Amino acid sequence: MIRYLPFILILALTIYAFIDCLNTPEDEVRHLPKVVWVIIILLFSIVGPIVWFAAGKLRHAPAGGRTPSEWHRNHRSEWVAPDDNPDFLKHLKDENKKDESLLKDWEADLRRREEELKKRDENGRANGEDTPPPAP
């Protein structure tokens, strides 16, 4: 079992480097086009992933010489959960107002149509027209 461990580690490193290369935006890939890096990673299973991690991807150092843990604690990510995002909440509130006004317009239109039907019904009875009851 232990003799398979190096092969499994090499395979895991290759798969991780391959996925990392595919998920890296084109503007963060250094020295070679992304397609060439994918080929290098897949063809040279030990050296390719190591070279990708060492030279292929643009790495960002923490600002101000801080340690990564401090940087992560004090750095706010660009992505914000929807329930914490004020723009998203404002958009929901605006949509809710639009929906409420549309519903009020529909209700007013329905009331107007019901009044028209009642008037038409009353006028028909006043003129002597007796309409048969609707069929069940």
Side-chain angles (χ1 to χ4, degrees):
M1 181 69 177
I2 229 159
R3 63 182 169 203
Y4 297 119
L5 186 61
F7 298 111
I8 293 172
L9 290 176
I10 291 169
L11 181 65
L13 178 68
T14 303
I15 291 171
Y16 182 76
F18 177 70
I19 292 172
D20 185 49
C21 182
L22 290 179
N23 288 332
T24 301
E26 193 71 43
D27 58 336
E28 291 183 16
V29 176
R30 297 185 341 185
H31 304 297
L32 296 170
K34 190 190 260 191
V35 175
V36 176
W37 278 114
V38 168
I39 293 170
I40 289 172
I41 291 169
L42 294 177
L43 287 181
F44 305 104
S45 63
I46 297 175
V47 178
I50 293 172
V51 172
W52 163 251
F53 290 123
K57 184 177 180 180
L58 182 63
R59 309 281 180 204
H60 299 287
R66 299 185 222 170
T67 62
S69 60
E70 180 185 347
W71 182 79
H72 283 294
R73 277 194 304 267
N74 296 329
H75 182 264
R76 183 174 180 147
S77 175
E78 292 179 19
W79 184 84
V80 179
D83 55 344
D84 293 334
N85 187 341
D87 294 333
F88 180 74
L89 294 174
K90 182 180 180 295
H91 173 72
L92 283 180
K93 202 176 286 184
D94 293 343
E95 287 292 321
N96 193 16
K97 286 180 184 178
K98 286 180 187 176
D99 292 342
E100 285 178 5
S101 67
L102 185 62
L103 181 62
K104 286 179 183 177
D105 291 343
W106 285 350
E107 287 174 344
D109 187 47
L110 181 63
R111 277 189 229 107
R112 181 186 55 81
R113 289 179 183 208
E114 286 176 346
E115 291 296 322
E116 286 177 5
L117 285 174
K118 283 181 186 177
K119 286 180 185 177
R120 214 183 284 166
D121 220 18
E122 289 172 1
N123 287 342
R125 288 187 186 148
N127 293 336
E129 297 174 10
D130 198 19
T131 57

